[in-house]
Amino acid sequence: MAASTPLLTDELDIVIPTIRNLDFLEMWRPFFQPYHLIIVQDGDPTKTIAVPDGFDYELYNRNDINRILGPKASCISFKDSACRCFGYMVSKKKYIFTIDDDCFVAKDPSGKDINALEQHIKNILSPSTPSFFNTLYDPYREGADFVRGYPFSLREGAPTAVSHGLWLNIPDYDAPTQLVKPRERNTRFVCGCGYDNTKGHPVPYVRMNLTFDRDLIGPAMYFGLMGDGQPIGRYDDMWAGWCVKVICDHLGLGVKTGLPYIWHSKASNPFVNLKKEYKGIFWQEEIIPFFQAATLSKDCTTVQQCYIELSKQVKEKLGKVDEYFVKLSDAMVTWIEAWDELNPPTKSSANLQTVLPKENFEYW
């Protein structure tokens, strides 16, 4: 069978945070080589990161981040993979796919390599159904449709802002679960998986296998303040997911979770993870109800406006939980200011609240 033609090669950047040589790209070469890579080097900026020959890439280290953002570089985490969001900011493409350097090509039940990026693109180019759950999951996939009883008035769907993939092998567990289930592995490949996250339900994204429409939701893809000098880690992607979901619900945008799968190869140290997570484990019992109850005013018609309003609510309500959230809310504002400096708003992005017409989407 002939290989399929790569999709959106001029419209998508692959963002990879790393502290090591990127040998893992060899396995992804058939799928990634046609695309531009943005590599965000964490840790020691004097260290040389080796990238396999033949890839088109740009690499940024901490010195570059400080040079480009100046004082606003304070909003970009250091010694934490949350630094990847700098790559989102400097990209000029419409779509972003981000992956970790311990993730490899998975195989489907037939033994065929899964082109995760291609599946993400198919997800992001087809509508979502955030207002009403379809029991056959994604009704726009080949071989699926809307089930009996699904309102015809909602079948056009909504623009898809995020495609959130899953993983085989090492599960993405918190430290306490890692400690009690050290040998557990995810071996289940669910072909029908690919459901829409319905309105009003927070979603903790996993950053290792994620695609989003930068034009629709990019300014909200901030991974917070984590790592060096911060009291918390390993909540960067979850923070982004919770914020993005509130804004997507407000603006009428969709989020898909499920296919594609990647192979997660490396289990992180649960004791190290516990040191990073322990405050978050307590705080999330306050954070999640906050996001479940969060609403935005009708005056918020752009992602930036939504994010600034949400930052104010974070300061007002979560600031009572810990002073860290006051600092985080200020960083959220700094992030938007830095984003707008590098990406001046255009008229086409002035109002995203109107759902785009059906003919704007390609169906798969």
Side-chain angles (χ1 to χ4, degrees):
M1 181 182 296
S4 58
T5 302
L7 305 170
L8 303 180
T9 54
D10 295 328
E11 299 181 65
L12 183 145
D13 278 335
I14 300 174
V15 174
I16 305 168
T18 194
I19 58 171
R20 59 182 62 87
N21 294 336
L22 294 181
D23 300 329
F24 92 113
L25 285 173
E26 288 295 353
M27 191 176 191
W28 287 102
R29 185 181 292 276
F31 306 130
F32 288 2
Q33 192 163 3
Y35 296 88
H36 179 68
L37 312 182
I38 297 178
I39 300 164
V40 183
Q41 178 181 343
D42 197 18
D44 182 1
T46 65
K47 180 180 178 180
T48 299
I49 299 293
V51 181
D53 292 339
F55 286 93
D56 173 36
Y57 71 93
E58 54 191 297
L59 187 150
Y60 297 93
N61 60 33
R62 192 69 199 187
N63 292 338
D64 298 314
I65 294 172
N66 292 337
R67 173 178 53 82
I68 292 169
L69 296 184
K72 293 183 174 64
S74 62
C75 71
I76 304 298
S77 297
F78 183 55
K79 294 186 178 179
D80 192 279
S81 65
C83 67
R84 79 181 68 223
C85 60
F86 177 76
Y88 310 160
M89 182 185 287
V90 297
S91 171
K92 301 303 177 186
K93 304 291 179 62
K94 178 172 173 56
Y95 302 102
I96 295 289
F97 170 61
T98 186
I99 189 170
D100 285 359
D101 60 16
D102 62 350
C103 295
F104 295 90
V105 178
K107 294 184 182 294
D108 67 19
S110 73
K112 180 183 177 182
D113 286 348
I114 297 170
N115 186 345
L117 181 52
E118 181 181 65
Q119 181 62 56
H120 272 301
I121 292 171
K122 291 178 178 181
N123 291 346
I124 209 84
L125 291 180
S126 63
S128 295
T129 55
S131 300
F132 202 93
F133 182 73
N134 190 57
T135 51
L136 282 180
Y137 301 115
D138 188 346
Y140 305 103
R141 289 184 62 214
E142 184 178 353
D145 212 320
F146 293 97
V147 296
R148 183 166 54 93
Y150 198 99
F152 283 88
S153 60
L154 296 177
R155 294 191 183 193
E156 281 195 4
T160 300
V162 180
S163 172
H164 173 229
L166 298 177
W167 56 96
L168 296 172
N169 196 36
I170 306 296
D172 186 50
Y173 286 157
D174 54 36
T177 309
Q178 281 184 290
L179 288 167
V180 298
K181 294 183 174 182
R183 295 181 178 86
E184 186 156 293
R185 299 294 182 265
N186 180 29
T187 59
R188 295 177 300 160
F189 183 98
V190 184
C191 293
C193 190
Y195 60 89
D196 290 314
N197 303 124
T198 50
K199 189 173 182 178
H201 294 84
V203 180
Y205 298 149
V206 179
R207 71 257 179 181
M208 70 178 82
N209 182 19
L210 182 72
T211 296
F212 61 92
D213 186 321
R214 191 173 171 277
D215 289 350
L216 287 181
I217 202 64
M221 274 292 178
Y222 176 48
F223 278 47
L225 288 175
M226 304 285 154
D228 192 51
Q230 308 303 333
I232 186 174
R234 284 174 54 84
Y235 273 81
D236 52 329
D237 44 1
M238 288 181 282
W239 182 262
W242 292 326
C243 292
V244 164
K245 189 57 167 55
V246 169
I247 294 172
C248 282
D249 287 350
H250 177 74
L251 295 178
L253 303 172
V255 174
K256 294 184 180 183
T257 290
L259 297 178
Y261 284 97
I262 50 89
W263 181 268
H264 186 208
S265 67
K266 182 182 176 183
S268 51
N269 186 311
F271 297 100
V272 173
N273 290 346
L274 188 59
K275 289 182 179 180
K276 296 178 180 179
E277 292 176 357
Y278 79 95
K279 287 191 175 182
I281 290 170
F282 291 101
W283 289 346
Q284 70 185 19
E285 302 306 315
E286 304 280 348
I287 295 171
I288 294 171
F290 164 76
F291 282 107
Q292 287 175 319
T295 58
L296 301 171
S297 68
K298 292 181 179 179
D299 293 335
C300 294
T301 58
T302 69
V303 176
Q304 285 93 330
Q305 290 169 350
C306 291
Y307 204 71
I308 293 297
E309 182 165 308
L310 190 58
S311 74
K312 294 175 182 177
Q313 295 180 26
V314 168
K315 178 175 288 189
E316 177 187 354
K317 297 180 180 179
L318 294 181
K320 299 174 184 177
V321 175
D322 192 271
E323 186 68 21
Y324 164 75
F325 292 100
V326 175
K327 184 178 180 181
L328 177 56
S329 68
D330 290 339
M332 292 168 71
V333 175
T334 302
W335 161 264
I336 292 296
E337 291 172 349
W339 181 283
D340 283 347
E341 283 184 11
L342 295 184
N343 305 275
T346 61
K347 288 185 178 180
S348 61
S349 63
N351 191 321
L352 295 175
Q353 201 163 14
T354 302
V355 175
L356 301 178
K358 182 176 180 180
E359 57 267 27
N360 281 15
F361 293 91
E362 186 168 354
Y363 289 76
W364 298 85

